[in-house]
């Protein structure tokens, strides 16, 4: 859970594998959430991670797209609970799990993706700044 819309209340993003999308659920502050947006055309999303990848102070989403895409999509957060156009990065075959961290210690959040069918890991070093 992260605050995607800047109201100080934790929100959710959820991968929807059967509808090839992810959903944004805004927190109400009382432990409940409301569905406020769906983003389509991801291609069988399997897992996602939320971090400020571009360093602009808003939370972005990186999501794996396994079925036929063999890629990850990175959606920049707008800070109001909406997301901008995605950037597509090719991974190995059938990427499933994704993790974020500063792997090369340069102060930027990088991505690691476990590729199920190619039995390897793709590392994406962040160079956005």
């Amino acid at each position: 859970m992260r605050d995607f819309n800047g109201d100080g209340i934790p929100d959710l993003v959820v991968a929807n594998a059967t509808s090839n999308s992810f959903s944004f659920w805004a927190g109400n502050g009382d432990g409940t959430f409301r569905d406020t947006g769906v983003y389509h055309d991801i291609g069988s999303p399997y897992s996602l991670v939320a971090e400020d990848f571009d360093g602009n102070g808003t939370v972005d989403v990186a999501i794996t797209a396994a079925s036929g895409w063999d890629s990850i999509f990175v959606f920049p957060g707008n800070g109001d609970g909406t997301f901008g156009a995605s950037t597509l990065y090719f991974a190995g075959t059938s990427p499933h799990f994704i993790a974020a961290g500063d792997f090369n210690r340069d102060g930027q959040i990088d991505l690691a993706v476990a590729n199920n069918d190619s039995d390897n890991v793709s590392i994406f070093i962040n160079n956005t700044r």
Side-chain angles (χ1 to χ4, degrees):
M1 290 194 312
R2 302 292 300 270
D3 182 11
F4 292 92
N5 58 7
D7 64 0
I9 300 170
D11 306 307
L12 295 172
V13 289
V14 178
N16 308 309
T18 58
S19 65
N20 296 328
S21 66
F22 77 94
S23 299
F24 169 69
W25 292 74
N28 294 320
D30 60 1
T32 63
F33 299 86
R34 63 192 179 284
D35 186 359
T36 58
V38 176
Y39 297 84
H40 292 281
D41 299 324
I42 297 172
S44 236
Y46 196 85
S47 68
L48 58 84
V49 65
E51 292 287 343
D52 181 7
F53 298 114
D54 54 13
N56 68 354
T58 62
V59 182
D60 312 308
V61 173
I63 188 165
T64 61
S67 180
W69 288 88
D70 296 335
S71 304
I72 62 169
F73 289 87
V74 178
F75 289 84
N78 294 325
D80 61 358
T82 64
F83 299 88
S86 66
T87 302
L88 178 72
Y89 299 94
F90 293 102
T93 307
S94 192
H96 278 189
F97 298 104
I98 190 166
D102 185 4
F103 303 132
N104 61 348
R105 298 187 216 181
D106 66 353
Q108 297 186 83
I109 302 297
D110 309 307
L111 294 170
V113 178
N115 302 302
N116 190 54
D117 291 345
S118 55
D119 294 327
N120 62 13
V121 175
S122 299
I123 303 292
F124 297 90
I125 300 298
N126 187 341
N127 61 3
T128 58
R129 291 183 246 165

